[in-house]
Amino acid sequence: MKKTARAHTNIALIKYWGKADQALKTPLMSSLSMTLDAFYTDTTFEHDSSLTEDTFILNDQKQSVEDSKRVFNYIHLLQEKFGVNDHFTIRSTNHVPTSAGLASSASAFAALATSFVASYGLDLSKKELSRLARLGSGSATRSVYGGFVEWKKGFDDESSYAAPIDENPDLDLSLLAIEVNTKQKKISSTKGMQLAQTSPFYQPWLARNEEEIAEIKQAIQNNDFTRIGELSELSANEMHACNLTAKEPFTYFEPETIKIIKLVEDLRKNGIECYYTIDAGPNVKILCTLRNRKDIISAVQKTLTNVKIVVASFGPGVTLL
Ligand code: DP6
């Protein structure tokens, strides 16, 4: 059987940055994201008793066994869970207008889990699908849904999954993905979040998690762009502060990252409201309203020459094609 699924990536406004269990990818904190319309992955999963090997084709290129390891291990784990074991072919295409530095593991594992489940005709709820996506990559847990999504940390494999807050928010919110640097990140998220836990600021940050989640949910309910922006920027800065103060300090920031941070601060001083968030890489995402979008884009273009900017807004949850 062969099935194709499409999943959009998401950007965490309240960050996930630490695991309670490495294998189960259960998190130490709850997180909250917005699913994006501009970036998605289409994945076809085919299993057939006549196939003689497992194959992973990414963006039309057959991947080496080494490069397929994470994906193969994930499928073997799911096959074991559901008591099936035939060979398979995975064909995955990332639709990202430019490589704007948006993590594709979220959309990749959400699309893979969904196409796997559909190809075996398994009848799973979205909650169960979210749990399965989590086993591939933590952030994929949230890409099962559209709009604003909360990943409740839970306390074990059963209780850690995402739930939608509002799949079609009526909020004027745009995200500008600014590609400042295309170099491959040196420290993976998996490794980075382990190092960050050695920071003296990590536990105090964790202790604030519930409060931050409750506050942003309230802000979403109030359609309060300012508060959503402030809390998102705070969460990103808390994460990056932990990286900088880890026992082995590190940062994902590049000089261009700082330039954009300063630009956002200057724009705000001049009455152009916008906020930034940054993940496990040097690229910056700016949150803004439609009214200021054009001005912000031209200010970014003046600050960094030849910079790539992708405009995104709310995207949908995972679907079968
Ligand atoms: C900074 O989901 O890529 O984007 O669970 O190890 O696959 P693994 O990590 P991943 O980490 C995402 C980290 C983040 C914040 C977030 O998306 O919440």
Side-chain angles (χ1 to χ4, degrees):
M1 265 293 255
K2 181 167 150 176
K3 290 282 179 189
T4 304
R6 172 172 297 176
H8 290 250
T9 194
N10 70 79
I11 181 91
L13 303 180
I14 301 295
K15 304 292 183 196
Y16 144 60
W17 197 237
K19 293 181 182 69
D21 185 298
Q22 296 298 322
L24 293 173
K25 296 189 171 59
T26 47
L28 286 166
M29 66 279 276
S30 297
S31 54
L32 190 141
S33 60
M34 101 184 243
T35 302
L36 301 176
D37 55 358
F39 310 90
Y40 59 91
T41 302
D42 286 342
T43 297
T44 303
F45 184 88
E46 181 177 17
H47 68 93
D48 195 306
S49 50
S50 65
L51 292 171
T52 53
E53 57 170 13
D54 299 335
T55 309
F56 176 36
I57 301 159
L58 178 61
N59 298 329
D60 289 326
Q61 293 202 317
K62 187 178 168 188
Q63 303 294 296
S64 66
V65 174
E66 182 58 30
D67 289 341
S68 307
K69 227 160 127 189
R70 183 170 176 186
V71 163
F72 286 175
N73 286 345
Y74 176 64
I75 294 300
H76 294 147
L77 178 79
L78 297 194
Q79 287 187 322
E80 205 181 300
K81 236 182 198 320
F82 295 102
V84 289
N85 67 354
D86 37 2
H87 285 297
F88 53 84
T89 301
I90 297 164
R91 193 178 284 274
S92 210
T93 311
N94 283 326
H95 294 268
V96 181
T98 65
S99 69
L102 270 127
S104 56
S105 74
S107 52
F109 283 97
L112 186 53
T114 307
S115 57
F116 172 91
V117 163
S119 83
Y120 280 106
L122 301 164
D123 186 20
L124 294 192
S125 65
K126 276 207 149 180
K127 171 177 142 182
E128 286 168 299
L129 200 53
S130 170
R131 285 178 48 216
L132 285 191
R134 189 197 72 232
L135 297 171
S137 180
S139 49
T141 315
R142 300 180 305 241
S143 269
V144 167
Y145 297 101
F148 283 118
V149 184
E150 180 185 3
W151 174 14
K152 296 168 196 291
K153 67 172 177 161
F155 49 88
D156 60 7
D157 184 33
E158 291 264 302
S159 58
S160 185
Y161 53 87
I165 291 176
D166 185 348
E167 292 219 73
N168 292 295
D170 183 23
L171 177 69
D172 175 8
L173 175 60
S174 299
L175 178 137
L176 310 177
I178 299 161
E179 183 194 60
V180 302
N181 191 313
T182 51
K183 273 186 263 162
Q184 272 252 297
K185 64 183 170 199
K186 290 188 203 88
I187 300 174
S188 69
S189 335
T190 309
K191 175 87 182 142
M193 59 180 83
Q194 277 173 333
L195 293 172
Q197 285 175 49
T198 62
S199 161
F201 298 126
Y202 193 82
Q203 288 306 326
W205 178 33
L206 269 194
R208 293 171 37 78
N209 178 242
E210 250 177 64
E211 190 183 319
E212 289 182 359
I213 291 277
E215 274 197 59
I216 200 163
K217 280 167 82 172
Q218 187 62 55
I220 289 169
Q221 211 175 33
N222 297 346
N223 266 348
D224 186 344
F225 167 74
T226 300
R227 198 64 196 128
I228 294 171
E230 286 171 351
L231 288 161
S232 303
E233 201 172 285
L234 175 64
S235 180
N237 282 331
E238 286 170 320
M239 166 187 152
H240 292 282
C242 288
N243 299 344
L244 281 167
T245 50
K247 278 232 169 78
E248 271 176 59
F250 68 102
T251 184
Y252 292 106
F253 292 1
E254 295 287 339
E256 297 87 347
T257 314
I258 309 281
K259 277 191 189 162
I260 299 298
I261 290 177
K262 285 198 162 296
L263 174 68
V264 168
E265 288 169 357
D266 286 346
L267 285 167
R268 276 208 298 259
K269 273 183 209 139
N270 290 311
I272 299 177
E273 197 182 6
C274 53
Y275 302 89
Y276 61 83
T277 182
I278 304 164
D279 287 319
N283 300 312
V284 184
K285 291 100 194 173
I286 296 180
L287 300 168
C288 66
T289 55
L290 199 55
R291 188 162 63 94
N292 292 326
R293 209 160 83 179
K294 258 197 181 155
D295 289 345
I296 297 168
I297 292 175
S298 48
V300 171
Q301 281 165 339
K302 258 188 224 150
T303 306
L304 300 176
T305 43
N306 293 326
V307 69
K308 285 182 194 146
I309 305 171
V310 180
V311 179
S313 192
F314 294 107
V318 72
T319 47
L320 282 173
L321 299 181

